[in-house]
Amino acid sequence: FPGVPSNPKLVPVLRSLIVVMNQNVTLSCCSASGSPPVRYTLFKHNQQVSSLNRSDSTPALFTLTISSASDVGPYKCKAEHNTSSDGKYSNSLNFTLIEPVSKPVLSSPTSYTVKGQNVTLSCFSENGSLPITYMFFKGKQSISPPKMMHEREAAVIFLFVNSSTDSGTYKCKANNSFPNSMKYSNSFNFTLAEERSHSQALIISLGLILLLLVIGFAVAIPFFIIPSYKASE
């Protein structure tokens, strides 16, 4: 029958099924064939959400707010004539609710090191849908392959400090499946203890020499004063 609507097609207007919490989305439902008027009904988990009548061939647009995980679907729509009890159902749609990553924090158990020491760097985003992929950099140069974390835990790398150039500057970045969600961390630099030890060692050495001189004078004074005193008698 030429007037019977065909199975409608249900699509997101923005062509993306990836959403964030409290995002408004619009679904379009339309039959490619069939004479109007047509009533379109949207269902979620087989429960009616809304119904719209169309007197022409334009699609029915349903606007939703994804406010919780239960709002992701599945959704279907039904097309039928107002005078008919039979209708045709569309494909099923489910949204993917994701959260963009927060700015990661780059840290280490210690900020001081010496040449020849192994150190660790950890990168962690507190918020964001899993999995989260981390990468580490020194300057603009990548120093590790991507590390995909499927649990809410930090990505860790191990470094060998062999020269002053290994002290930094380090950064990391984090991203997940949310579009354009890449975030960079704070900068982190290690302080090489050897770089500050030269002046400190000189000061300590001078202090020790001065202390030894003072002790030496204190010990020697009685040997000079007492004989002089006896001689004067």
Side-chain angles (χ1 to χ4, degrees), residues 2-3 5 33-40 54-58 80-82:
S33 62
S35 58
V38 177
R39 181 169 66 240
Y40 293 100
R54 284 291 178 265
S55 58
D56 52 26
S57 59
T58 58
E80 59 188 334
H81 280 133
N82 292 341

Side-chain angles (χ1 to χ4, degrees), residues 113-118 160-165 192-195:
T113 185
V114 296
K115 291 180 181 179
Q117 182 178 347
N118 289 313
F160 179 70
V161 178
N162 193 41
S163 67
S164 59
T165 59
L192 284 179
E194 293 179 349
E195 292 181 347

